[in-house]
Amino acid sequence: MVWFKRSQFLILLCLSLLVIGSMKLTEFDLSKFRDFQNMGDFLSKWFPMNTESLPFLFQESLLTIAIAFLGSLFGLIIALPLSFMAARNTSRNRFVYSVTRFLLSFLRSVPEFVFGLILLTTLGLGPFPAVIAIIFHNIGVLGKLISELIESADKGPMEAMLAVGARKWIGNLFAVLPQIWPNVLSQFFYRFEVAIRTSLILGLIGGGGIGQQLFIHFKTFQYQLVSVDVLLIMIMVIMVDYIGSKIREKVI
Amino acid sequence: MIEFKGVSVTYPGAKEPALADVNITFQKGEFVCVLGRSGAGKSTFIRCINGLQPVSEGYVKWEDKTLSEMTHKETLEVRRKTGMIFQHFNLIPRMSVVQNILTGLFGYKKSYENLLGLFKSSDRLQALEAIDQVELTVEPTRRVEKLSGGQKQRVAIARALVQNPKVFLGDEPVASLDPGTADRIFQLLKKTHVKRNLVSIINVHDVILAKKFATRIIALKDGKLVFDGTPEEFDDKVYADIYNHSS
Ligand SMILES: Nc1ncnc2c1ncn2[C@@H]1O[C@H](COP(=O)(O)OP(=O)(O)OP(=O)(O)O)[C@@H](O)[C@H]1O
Ligand SMILES: [Mg+2]
């Protein structure tokens, strides 16, 4: 067993204890699948799909995409400059660095759902508060991810831009952005995909879009519409993933 | 034109200074090669000249102005008249040859002009002329990642040329290149140096190159200036002294 050290067995032991503890807490028990029959019965109610309101649901899907798109794009646009302030190697000073880091982790720690609930009080129901909630959270997430990309960028080009007599922020922008751009794009598309799923949850508090329809149909036992909602959601996620990978291929 | 007076640099946390009490003056027209073992302080020395590395003690003067006392604007001006080339070329990836060369003008332009790429046709012409001068034969729109090491260094030199420099600094500009290419890059540097009457200060590991091209050779050892003379004066004895591990 040349690959293993004694300490690694200790780690394995701790890990096993954690797994057992977590399984207790979550009532993790595969034998519960005995009642598999129930799920089958339930799922069979989903078919045949009710395609009558497909045009309307399609429209709601577009709304969902629009929420997710704006939520991640505006998030990215705001996160980009902030991430330069939150990266050790490009930040103006320690103070700016610490303050932006703190701001980003604060934004990250508040779930979109909570932002949505708070915004409801001023913005009312509808997709707008959903967009803002997603933007806030995405600023936090993308800001952190991009600032880490900036920190690991090759510092050679930055040095060259300084040596040319460029202002620091211009030099950093030109030296760093081309290096990290493909990764930024893939993070963006990943967040876009996540935002689609998030906007479904926000549908629960009146955020609009296909998520809201899903919950309405579910609560009113219209399972043949639920199946249509789910199908549309799956198509959307796969589509965004596909377009994202195509665009990334072009960029690299 | 450039004067070092009692210059020391100690990196944070380091016990020994990387550069210790260096005194030296450079004049227009000198082609200086800096020799020394790895870790002797050559890069630190070069970077003190355009203020990329602040000095811990002493001062560096440009004409009559002390670098550390200059305003931010004056520092930028010093840097834009200093063309610097690096071992790893330090070009901007994903940008074309001509775009990279145009970044050499960043010190001359307003921020918004740089940001939006608002260059005059005379700027472009200047970039194309620089491509000519460095004898680069690739399409100007080619991305720089797709060039060979020698071609990349030519782009870097062209970028330095459009700065319209008074000084050339090189931090081992040929260390990543094969001997033939290294020689041709040095020929190019020397030719430009003579044509524009510059001060050139260049780190090299290759003593033969230094002796072939330099008008003055200096050597560092453990951060101290241990030799300053003509290529002829740099003989085997001096060589042994500088590169000897035992002392
Ligand atoms: N950023 C830094 N932080 C701390 N110490 C440094 C830093 N850069 C260089 N040093 C140290 O300073 C000394 C001089 O380094 P320098 O890079 O100037 O040497 P060099 O002559 O250029 O070496 P090489 O030929 O390997 O490039 C070395 O001991 C090095 O470890
Ligand atoms: Mg060095």
Side-chain angles (χ1 to χ4, degrees), chain B residues 38-39 41-44 87 171-172 203 205:
Chain B
S38 190
K42 303 183 297 297
S43 300
T44 309
Q87 174 176 357
D171 194 359
E172 297 182 29
N203 289 346
H205 269 305

Side-chain angles (χ1 to χ4, degrees), chain A residues 154-157 159-171 173-175 177-179 181-182 251-252, chain B residues 47 50 52 72-73 76 79-80 82 84 86 90-95 103-104 106-107 111 114-115 143 159 163:
Chain A
D154 174 15
K155 66 181 190 330
E159 185 131 271
M161 288 298 97
L162 277 185
V164 138
R167 292 192 178 274
K168 193 166 177 239
W169 73 273
I170 287 277
L173 191 68
F174 274 81
L177 210 52
Q179 293 188 52
W181 191 236
V251 165
I252 286 172
Chain B
R47 291 155 47 82
N50 60 352
L52 287 183
H72 183 56
K73 217 169 154 193
L76 292 185
R79 290 191 184 154
R80 83 175 181 211
T82 311
M84 190 165 185
F86 305 84
N90 293 358
L91 300 175
I92 297 179
R94 313 177 61 75
M95 301 227 297
T103 63
F106 274 7
S111 291
N114 291 334
L115 198 62
R143 284 235 299 237
R159 172 173 71 188
Q163 288 176 247

Side-chain angles (χ1 to χ4, degrees), chain A residues 169-234:
Chain A
W169 73 273
I170 287 277
N172 285 339
L173 191 68
F174 274 81
V176 172
L177 210 52
Q179 293 188 52
I180 63 172
W181 191 236
N183 283 324
V184 169
L185 269 187
S186 62
Q187 296 297 351
F188 167 75
F189 279 104
Y190 178 63
R191 293 308 302 173
F192 190 179
E193 198 191 304
V194 171
I196 289 180
R197 286 191 289 268
T198 307
S199 73
L200 301 180
I201 306 288
L202 292 172
L204 190 66
I205 52 169
I210 194 81
Q212 189 165 349
Q213 297 305 317
L214 178 67
F215 286 110
I216 293 173
H217 296 151
F218 208 84
K219 270 190 294 192
T220 53
F221 311 110
Q222 305 187 61
Y223 296 123
Q224 290 168 346
L225 284 173
V226 167
S227 56
V228 179
D229 298 335
V230 171
L231 183 70
L232 285 171
I233 290 165
M234 287 167 66

Side-chain angles (χ1 to χ4, degrees), chain B residues 131-143:
Chain B
I131 293 181
D132 236 26
Q133 277 180 44
V134 297
E135 293 151 28
L136 199 62
T137 51
V138 297
E139 318 87 87
T141 52
R142 181 109 158 248
R143 284 235 299 237

